[in-house]
Amino acid sequence: MNATDTAPALLQVRDLKKHYHSPRRWLAPARPAVQAVDGVSFDVARGETLSLVGESGCGKTTTAKSVMRLIEPTSGSVKLDGEELLSLPPEQMRLRRRDVQIIFQDPYASLSPRQLAGEIVAEPLRNFGMNSAAERRERVRWLFEKVGLRPEAVDKYPHEFSGGQRQRLGIARALALNPKLIVCDEPVSALDVSVQAQVVNLLMDLQAEFGIAYLFVAHDLAVVRHISHRVAVMYLGHIVEIADRDTLFASPRHPYTEILLSAAPVPNPRTPAKRMLLQGDPPSPANPPSGCRFHTRCPLAQDICKTQAPALSARPGNTAVEHQVACHFR
Amino acid sequence: MTNPLASQAPATGEPLLEVDDLRTHFDTLSGPARSVDGVSYTVRAGQTLGVVGESGCGKSVTALSILRLLPTPPARISGAVRLRGTDLLRLSEREMRHIRGNRISMIFQEPMTSLNPVLTVGRQIAETVQLHQKLGRAEALQRATDMLRVVQIPEPERRVNEYPHQLSGGMRQRVMIALALACNPEVLIADEPTTALDVTIQAQILELIRRLQKERGMGVVMITHDLGVVAETCDRVVVMYAGRKVEEASVLDLFDRPLHPYTRALMASMPSMNTRSARLTEIPGLVPSPQEPRRGCAFAARCSHAEARCRGEVPQLTAQGQDHVVACFAVEEGRIESAPEGAAAA
Amino acid sequence: QTKTLKVVAHADLKILDPTFTTAYISRNFGYMVYDTLFAQDANSKPQPQMVEKYTTSKDGKEWSFTLRPGLKFSDGTPVTSADAVASLQRWGAKDSLGRAMGAAGAQWKAVDERNFTLTLNEPFGMVLDALAKPSGFPPVILPERLAKLPTTSPMTEVLGSGPYIFKRDEWVPGNKVVFVRNPNYVPRSEAPSGLSGSKKSHVDRVEWLYIPDANSAVAALKRGEVDFVEQLPADYIAPLRTDTSVKIGSGGAYQGFLVFNHMFPPFNNAKARQAVAMATNQEKFTAAMGYPLDMRVTYCATFFICGGPNETAAGAEPFRKPDIAKAKALLAESGYKGEKVVLLVPTDITYLNAEALMAAQTMRSIGINVDMQNSDWASIGARRAKKDAPESGGWNMYVTVAGEFDANSPIANAYLGAACGTSLPGWPCDKPLDELRTAWIKETNPAKRKELLDAFQKRAYEAMPYVNAGQYSAAYAASANLKGLDKLWSGMPVFWALDK
Amino acid sequence: MAALPTTSEAAPATADEAPFVLPRFRWARKHPTLIIGGVLLVAMAALAIFAPWIATHDPQDMDVLSRMQTASADHWFGTDALGRDVFSRAVWGGRVSMIVGLSVGVLATVLGLLLGLMAGFVRWADSFIMRVMDGLMAIPGILLAIALMAVTRASLTTVIIAITIPEIPRVVRLVRSLALTLREQLFVEAAHAVGTRLPVILLRHVVPNMIAPLIVQATFVAAAAVLTEAALSFLGVGVPPQTPSWGNMMAEGRNFVAVAFHIILYPGILLAATVLAINMLGDGLRDALDPRLARQL
Amino acid sequence: MGYVLRRLAATLPVMAVVAVVVFLLIHLSPGDPAALIAGDLATGEDIAKLHAALGLDKPLWQQFMLWLARLASGDLGTSIFTQVPVSQLLAQRLEPTLSIAALTMVLTMLVAVPLGTLAAYRAGTWIDRLVMIFAVLAFSLPVFLVGYLLVYVFAVQLPWFPVQGYSRFADGAGAWLRGLVLPCVNLALVYIALVTRMTRATVLEVLHEDYIRTARAKGLGVLPVLGHALRNAAIPIATTIGVGIALLIGGVVVTETVFAIPGVGRLVIDSVQRHDYPVIQSVLLISAGVYVLINLLIDLSYKLFDPRIQY
Ligand SMILES: Nc1ncnc2c1ncn2[C@@H]1O[C@H](COP(=O)(O)OP(=O)(O)OP(=O)(O)O)[C@@H](O)[C@H]1O
Ligand SMILES: Nc1ncnc2c1ncn2[C@@H]1O[C@H](COP(=O)(O)OP(=O)(O)OP(=O)(O)O)[C@@H](O)[C@H]1O
Ligand SMILES: [Mg+2]
Ligand SMILES: [Mg+2]
């Protein structure tokens, strides 16, 4: 299911930036903007899963939400099916939402506690002109079935569901409008392993059935490895490496990727992990290091890294998919 | 750094902490919640005992019961918790205070919220030292600085006067560890010490705990839901399900030969244990709530091996090979053989 | 050790000018800080006070007065006849008796520092009574400078030759008025009697406290925090009688007045006024004000104080028994058609409030459409002076009470002054009544006077300038160890006679 | 580690196996304050609503010859200083309190909701509205009410308005803070993501989630309003003095505390009971609807 | 320091709103302000003159500016009724009111914080229930009823305290204090109820925080743990105390009436009945100013309690 070279990608993100300016207070000294996302570019092909991984606070959620304009990005371009989203007027954007949907990390907070499950799933239908109640009911029933919920559950309130079931509700809602792309912001990290497996399977089944593309944000590398076609690694608002899943896990190029992969504990007491410890803590995105943002913690850092930011550029690889890395040395 | 191959460490230390048939029930308005319902384990000096299980299975409540940090009521604790033979559950609150932070310490899951935001980290460490070791204020603060150095916080002299919000998550968790170890406890209980942290930070913290344990010869209870963490840090493992211990074995034994269907399912459902891109193994159904009335094996409803007996009778822990106990009728009756489907590929 | 007499005053002192308002609290204030030329003794006889001696001509048209030597205002400046003349001129323009004297052509003239004269065009039977007038506007002697100030607004400066000095710096409006003994006061040698005689204070300080809450006032008295409660709320009389630490005495006779505005319908019609009188049950009014049986007069058939020197029942007979049917008939005759009648209801003075509510109930009982407008008494005091139509800020009726000195004769009773527009609020207008009074003032023959008096009251019951709502006796309460209580006289604030 | 004896199957969960406790009753047992407060309030409201039938006398009728009597068969609570029946006046007086409490509670809540939503969702309106509210908050409520009464003629309507105005800022603040929290809630973002328009989001997702705290707040506003009305009347700047209201009765009775405490006592008790009932209802509702509100309200 | 200035500046809009409200109160009220100010006795001519003298013929905003300018120069106007400058009237009445307010405040903090903490610590027990019953009762009882009950019991039946009135501090601290006991207790009840409830709720919430569990896991005893909790609860409690100032000022009006204390509260009531607007306006302005100022101080003190507050 790899993206072919000829067809234009479903989603094209170019040089996306989001800087959070803390509200200027009267007479107060200005505070530096948080450069949460600072120029990321990537494509997602139809039916493909692109994962975004990286440490907490590196800008994954900001990227994901910016793509949907749930957050207004500072600059950049987001094209869906070749159409620029960022310049759409609000009503136009609202109409485009049927093509991009989102699933949130927290299945508890993302469902309105005072709506019935059926209403929650029917809401997007109502928004997009499915006015007949019977039609909606039929569609909701079908969606419930698709995500593995019992049809009777339409009359329950969200708190009557378990975490996994709630996440299914969220998926049903996202699915309702037949989107081409679903942005998944850590959809399984709040779930227990056993439930996580159910949701991961569901997501993969739906992709197989409807050809939906996923922009999959996660920090659990095992899940990412399981579900993705391609993986993008973020560090402090930048993408430092994009490659197809196997390449990335087998031969990571960027030192950060390498360390990240080695840090994950391996559930096998007999394989001694070849652990590379990353020293120190991530710098603040409000005051990012000059040059390569990773240079303060990078084992390979040289003088050039302090001054010049390496561009994300293709490396020769053994697969059809480009392997892009942002490092002066790798 | 290399894996110290924890499983090779001899489990010969003297029994430090013995939890014996611990039951913690909560009186709630919708009936009693049997959060911990008969759990026993032993921690030996220099040994790390892992406790794994899904959310809500009673891992934290067990730990809090040991230190008697649960409010009673609503909690009702019975059984015994022996620290070098002394039953902590029979001590007075005063005597108990002398145990906490001094002989048994605890690290909590949330480094963000487990430190008092309005006191400097130095004071928070010094407070324990002053209390238990009867040190003066200045000496205690000095000790705090030393402890920060021990946990590898850069510039401890400066950090000691900083407030928690000035530290990153990883540093806060180090402070928690410093706090826990300040009085050289015999037992350290770490309740999911790394779940809130990034993998890179998690690796640092686990490494730190492992090192300090080696140096100090403590007994450690490592509570986690991550089998990866267990595999890397523990000597023995207790698997809990719905308030009960369903299996206990040495870490190698458990990963080689998981017996309880729940343990097996847990392992199978982890993505990295599966063949890539194949469907993950699901465990159908849900973890039962501790309020639900129970009859028989709590896992029976989700278990592919369950039979009538499982639904009517509670399986007892039985020894299955050396140092390996499991509570399952299917195992007892030999319906499950020792080579499970999805075991880790060595 | 300074001796302080602490008095719970009956009201809050707001206006420091006894020549501006007839409010009793301002009058009492006047007696504290000012002196008068003459004063009534305990037998209601005028006696010289600031005056040393006086002479009168045979025909009663020429009077001369000599001030006592050495009189000084509290700032030390001497009191001269110029001060007296100016003060009397100010008074003459305002007071009913003063105006009556003016009508008789009274001319005041200073002769020298201590001597001054009065000349009249015709004889006037009540010159000394006027100069000793104890209430209403008592003719207090001010410095000439103050006396010459316009009378349209109250004086704010206080400078008198009376027994006390007003301590302005300790004055807390709404709470406390402080007086200290006036070192420049020159007392008479006679013992105090009524308002006459020596007014030399026995105490160094007198404090008037305003405690609107009756319970607090009584409790404070019982606990010795205060020495004297000027007007004991009626409901506390009976309970306190059993208390030996407290003495209760009569604070003078009072009558309730229901005052009509004669300028606007319906009460510009005598029939309507009579209708109200016909419906009025005096017993209920005095009962509502809370006085115990022995302190109220069941039915008082005179405008001039039952038990007073001028008591007469002339003309009262038709009103003796309240008769609702008759009252309604009278009202109908007056042409009343259900217009709103604005009744000013004081909310801060309990007994006046009771009186007003009783008035409302009385009027409603004969079908008058009463519009009660509530405010504090001070505001009513101001509002009653407005001649605007009731619907634009004026009024139709208010209620009040008057002490004996302000009711006991055709001249003292200002509300019977029917001088059309120049008299007190209500502005009754009845020529015959006015003429009868003038005749009575001038008349010197006692028998004729009595006849004229009866005729006057008969006319008054016909014209009905106001309704007598019943008579009662007020009460003071004092701590039992207060000396000189026997000197208290008809509710007058003779605090100089008291000693601790 | 040997098998451990277990007794869990021998101890059936009794509470769980007795499902015949109606959920309603269990709920009632869980929130006794709510029940006590509610019942008390209903009783007080009934007293006020049925005043014409419950009152034994005309509340305005002065029978001055039998004034200040203590309780008797004819006058259950005795008579006041003008011989009016205290019981009847107290019963009628409840109406004023009830009307004030209800009107102010509803008015302040509705106005506060509108303003608060505007502040929370309309960026430019926020700071303007909030500065005005801060200013209003700075003036102590009862003083503002007193001042408002000073410039108007005393009537029930003006009293209601005068009490409502100082109460509005409290509601606005609550609504705004709720709005700011809700605005950031994932489910609101989710609604946005599925293409729901803002007015619909407000109506369907935001307001319903404010209802619980608003109702609770409304009860507290109502309780405060009842007290404030009584205080205003007591100070002589409330409803017209002749209107039987608890505050007025107490204002009239205060002069006779030592000789006739009953005049002040009965309306005082009824007033306290009513406010207590509303407060308990509010506390109960808060605990029942959302215990986390305890901090905010 | 910059922060203090900034906060000080931030109170300006609030005070501006207060000023506008106070100004409009009279100018938007039905009827001619000149007629209101001139009083009932005035003639049409008087009113017309006053109209011009007060600048009422000018546009509203100009009048407002003029009024502000006079305020800025410290001129609060002259009382219509007593013809005394308002500032002087206020000065006479300030001592009793300040005494009551300050003492009540001290009393409240001494009682409410420990009480609320105790209730939170013993949450769910009868002590807690008792405290909460007290709090809800104190919240529900009309101040004046309690006042009269206090007088009846502790001044009339048991002659421990004076029934009414105010004794100046200059006349002896003993008498001053004795006279203030009942009014302060009366006034403090509501305030104590408020602060107790808030303290309980906050401390209870804090006691559930993870760091309290940490503190207990360190082996700390009850008091040190409560100390940890209180420090964290301090800000909401301080905020409540600040917001409660409004309650306090409002309550003073009633309490002063009950105890016949010649303070600012009584002045307001008297002024309302006399339509003495300059006095009412000034009292509103000043009490709002006091409220804002105290809350500003409390705001600034937050840093003492919580190092996370950044200025
Ligand atoms: N509304 C905001 N205002 C200011 N800064 C923000 C805001 N939202 C996010 N940030 C900052 O932007 C950076 C990126 O945040 P983001 O939520 O995208 O990270 P993330 O990669 O999703 O992290 P996590 O794994 O914790 O979800 C962080 O430093 C965060 O503190
Ligand atoms: N105070 C309490 N009252 C009632 N039930 C409680 C209480 N504390 C915990 N429980 C219940 O006890 C059960 C066990 O909780 P516990 O915190 O030990 O789970 P855990 O295994 O630590 O889970 P996690 O991985 O989420 O931390 C849960 O179902 C929980 O709801
Ligand atoms: Mg995120
Ligand atoms: Mg836990």
Side-chain angles (χ1 to χ4, degrees), chain A residues 82-239:
Chain A
E83 185 185 11
E84 177 62 54
L85 293 185
L86 297 188
S87 54
L88 284 182
E91 182 58 20
Q92 294 290 310
M93 183 62 217
R94 195 180 74 80
L95 293 175
R96 291 298 292 176
R97 290 200 185 284
R98 47 166 71 225
D99 293 334
V100 216
Q101 281 300 313
I102 185 163
I103 309 169
F104 295 99
Q105 165 174 12
D106 188 341
Y108 289 87
S110 55
L111 303 177
S112 187
R114 277 162 224 283
Q115 268 187 315
L116 293 172
E119 293 173 1
I120 291 173
V121 176
E123 178 159 3
L125 301 173
R126 281 215 259 177
N127 291 335
F128 289 94
M130 191 183 275
N131 290 323
S132 137
E135 236 179 292
R136 278 203 305 263
R137 206 170 319 121
E138 187 46 40
R139 173 86 179 156
V140 168
R141 226 187 53 76
W142 181 83
L143 285 165
F144 267 51
E145 196 183 306
K146 275 291 151 218
V147 300
L149 290 170
R150 286 203 217 106
E152 309 88 82
V154 289
D155 290 327
K156 283 193 189 174
Y157 282 101
H159 69 260
E160 296 170 85
F161 292 93
S162 71
Q165 289 174 324
R166 285 169 148 258
Q167 202 55 293
R168 287 170 196 262
L169 266 180
I171 294 171
R173 172 171 61 188
L175 214 56
L177 294 169
N178 271 326
K180 296 174 181 156
L181 173 72
I182 294 183
V183 174
C184 310
D185 188 6
E186 313 211 20
V188 293
S189 53
L191 305 175
D192 266 325
V193 234
S194 62
V195 185
Q196 175 181 311
Q198 299 169 3
V199 174
V200 167
N201 284 343
L202 173 64
L203 285 173
M204 292 179 77
D205 292 349
L206 292 172
Q207 184 170 55
E209 187 171 354
F210 302 107
I212 305 168
Y214 293 129
L215 177 60
F216 192 91
V217 171
H219 63 247
D220 184 338
L221 292 170
V223 174
V224 167
R225 184 175 195 177
H226 186 81
I227 204 169
S228 321
H229 298 114
R230 287 192 303 137
V231 180
V233 180
M234 283 188 78
Y235 184 80
L236 214 60
H238 284 173
I239 290 183

Side-chain angles (χ1 to χ4, degrees), chain D residues 94-291:
Chain D
R95 286 198 161 188
V96 173
S97 293
M98 289 294 159
I99 292 172
V100 168
L102 195 69
S103 323
V104 175
V106 170
L107 266 178
T109 308
V110 169
L111 293 175
L113 176 64
L114 294 179
L115 286 170
L117 279 180
M118 224 163 120
F121 281 89
V122 185
R123 207 169 277 274
W124 59 264
D126 185 25
S127 57
F128 176 74
I129 292 178
M130 289 326 286
R131 287 302 81 71
V132 173
M133 293 303 135
D134 284 349
L136 281 180
M137 282 278 271
I139 309 175
I142 206 171
L143 273 189
L144 185 54
I146 288 173
L148 286 169
M149 290 308 295
V151 295
T152 52
R153 236 192 117 170
S155 76
L156 191 55
T157 321
T158 51
V159 167
I160 289 172
I161 295 171
I163 300 176
T164 302
I165 291 177
E167 291 292 342
I168 290 177
R170 274 167 265 277
V171 184
V172 174
R173 281 198 165 188
L174 173 70
V175 171
R176 176 175 175 270
S177 78
L178 290 172
L180 290 186
T181 332
L182 284 170
R183 199 169 73 174
E184 302 299 321
Q185 289 288 301
L186 275 183
F187 64 83
V188 172
E189 201 166 318
H192 186 54
V194 296
T196 315
R197 296 182 178 88
L198 179 66
V200 183
I201 290 186
L202 285 187
L203 223 67
R204 207 183 284 161
H205 298 279
V206 176
V207 175
N209 283 294
M210 290 180 171
I211 295 289
L214 266 184
I215 288 178
V216 175
Q217 175 79 353
T219 60
F220 292 141
V221 167
V226 171
L227 271 183
T228 309
E229 182 277 323
L232 288 180
S233 297
F234 177 79
L235 295 171
V237 292
V239 292
Q242 284 76 37
T243 315
S245 86
W246 292 333
N248 279 337
M249 293 176 73
M250 295 172 79
E252 288 158 12
R254 58 187 262 230
N255 288 314
F256 313 107
V257 169
V259 283
F261 199 60
H262 68 270
I263 302 178
I264 209 167
L265 183 66
Y266 292 112
I269 289 176
L270 289 180
L271 173 59
T274 304
V275 179
L276 189 68
I278 306 178
N279 274 332
M280 285 176 76
L281 186 72
D283 276 355
L285 279 175
R286 185 191 59 203
D287 295 345
L289 295 176
D290 189 353

Side-chain angles (χ1 to χ4, degrees), chain E residues 10 84 131 163 188 223 225 247:
Chain E
V84 174
V131 171
V163 170
L223 287 181
V225 168
L247 212 64

Side-chain angles (χ1 to χ4, degrees), chain E residues 273-285:
Chain E
Q273 278 161 350
R274 300 168 189 157
H275 300 279
D276 202 342
Y277 295 106
V279 180
I280 303 175
Q281 281 186 322
S282 307
V283 173
L284 283 195
L285 264 181

Side-chain angles (χ1 to χ4, degrees), chain C residues 12 14 20 168 170-175 210-213 215-216 219-220 223 225 347 376 378-379 382-383 385-386, chain E residues 39-42 81-82 89 92-93 148 155-156 159-164 168 178 258 260 262 266 270 273-275:
Chain C
D12 182 23
K14 283 156 185 166
F20 182 77
R168 187 183 292 272
E170 291 189 46
W171 180 34
V172 184
N175 179 234
Y210 177 55
I211 305 179
D213 186 88
N215 316 288
S216 305
R223 306 254 321 275
E225 287 166 29
T347 50
D376 66 328
S379 307
R383 185 167 173 185
K386 272 178 115 169
Chain E
D40 292 333
L41 272 173
F81 194 85
T82 54
L89 271 185
Q92 281 171 340
R93 305 289 196 117
Y148 283 117
V156 177
W160 293 351
F161 302 104
V163 170
Q164 55 77 39
R168 285 196 291 187
R178 241 168 59 91
V258 170
R266 274 290 305 287
D270 292 347
Q273 278 161 350
R274 300 168 189 157
H275 300 279

Side-chain angles (χ1 to χ4, degrees), chain E residues 76-276:
Chain E
L76 293 173
T78 303
S79 155
I80 295 162
F81 194 85
T82 54
Q83 294 296 322
V84 174
V86 174
S87 44
Q88 190 183 326
L89 271 185
L90 285 176
Q92 281 171 340
R93 305 289 196 117
L94 216 53
E95 186 192 313
T97 304
L98 280 186
S99 305
I100 296 181
L103 229 68
T104 303
M105 196 89 157
V106 171
L107 188 67
T108 300
M109 285 199 248
L110 285 184
V111 174
V113 175
L115 207 59
T117 311
L118 178 71
Y121 176 64
R122 291 248 166 254
T125 65
W126 61 268
I127 295 182
D128 176 34
R129 237 163 269 150
L130 223 60
V131 171
M132 289 314 281
I133 288 173
F134 156 76
V136 73
L137 264 180
F139 233 66
S140 308
L141 291 173
V143 175
F144 38 98
L145 182 67
V146 178
Y148 283 117
L149 281 172
L150 285 175
V151 169
Y152 192 72
V153 176
F154 296 106
V156 177
Q157 300 297 324
L158 307 166
W160 293 351
F161 302 104
V163 170
Q164 55 77 39
Y166 175 74
S167 160
R168 285 196 291 187
F169 188 72
D171 299 342
W176 172 78
L177 200 62
R178 241 168 59 91
L180 285 177
V181 170
L182 291 186
C184 287
V185 168
N186 184 204
L187 186 55
L189 277 183
V190 183
Y191 206 12
I192 289 177
L194 176 80
V195 179
T196 304
R197 278 168 73 114
M198 185 48 113
T199 306
R200 177 186 177 273
T202 318
V203 172
L204 195 56
E205 190 173 287
V206 170
L207 284 177
H208 285 129
E209 293 284 349
D210 290 347
Y211 52 79
I212 294 298
R213 193 180 53 190
T214 308
R216 300 216 304 131
K218 289 198 292 197
L220 292 187
V222 174
L223 287 181
V225 168
L226 285 181
H228 274 236
L230 262 181
R231 275 200 66 147
N232 281 281
I235 286 185
I237 295 173
T239 310
T240 308
I241 289 176
V243 173
I245 294 283
L247 212 64
L248 187 75
I249 298 175
V252 161
V253 179
V254 179
T255 306
E256 286 184 356
T257 303
V258 170
F259 291 90
I261 291 171
V264 177
R266 274 290 305 287
L267 181 65
V268 175
I269 292 302
D270 292 347
S271 305
V272 166
Q273 278 161 350
R274 300 168 189 157
H275 300 279
D276 202 342

Side-chain angles (χ1 to χ4, degrees), chain B residues 154-323:
Chain B
E155 300 181 82
E157 291 82 6
R158 179 163 72 85
R159 295 294 184 184
V160 81
N161 291 320
E162 290 195 336
Y163 291 94
H165 72 276
Q166 293 166 295
L167 308 181
S168 70
M171 278 204 264
R172 278 186 237 184
Q173 195 59 297
R174 284 164 203 264
V175 170
M176 277 303 293
I177 295 171
L179 181 62
L181 300 188
C183 295
N184 261 324
E186 294 153 68
V187 180
L188 174 70
I189 303 176
D191 186 358
E192 313 210 24
T194 57
T195 22
L197 304 173
D198 281 321
V199 263
T200 54
I201 311 288
Q202 167 176 340
Q204 295 169 5
I205 297 289
L206 290 179
E207 188 58 43
L208 179 68
I209 294 178
R210 212 153 37 196
R211 183 172 59 80
L212 290 171
Q213 177 196 26
K214 273 257 172 76
E215 287 171 14
R216 299 174 178 231
M218 297 176 291
V220 172
V221 179
M222 175 70 71
I223 297 174
T224 179
H225 62 249
D226 187 336
L227 285 173
V229 171
V230 170
E232 289 194 3
T233 56
C234 300
D235 304 299
R236 294 187 61 76
V237 190
V238 168
V239 181
M240 283 183 70
Y241 186 77
R244 309 185 120 258
K245 179 169 86 176
V246 294
E247 187 163 5
E248 177 176 351
S250 76
V251 73
L252 284 176
D253 207 16
L254 191 86
F255 277 84
D256 285 349
R257 207 167 57 95
L259 289 177
H260 199 282
Y262 174 65
T263 315
R264 293 176 174 212
L266 207 57
M267 290 184 172
S269 65
M270 291 186 63
S272 49
M273 312 276 278
N274 278 264
T275 344
R276 289 174 202 166
S277 295
R279 285 182 65 79
L280 296 176
T281 314
E282 295 179 19
I283 308 180
L286 297 171
V287 183
S289 115
Q291 270 108 323
E292 268 170 48
R294 255 170 243 164
R295 208 159 267 288
C297 175
F299 189 62
R302 307 174 75 187
C303 181
S304 53
H305 301 276
E307 288 186 346
R309 188 182 174 199
C310 299
R311 299 191 180 90
E313 225 179 294
V314 177
Q316 306 298 307
L317 287 164
T318 50
Q320 294 291 327
Q322 195 220 345
D323 231 14

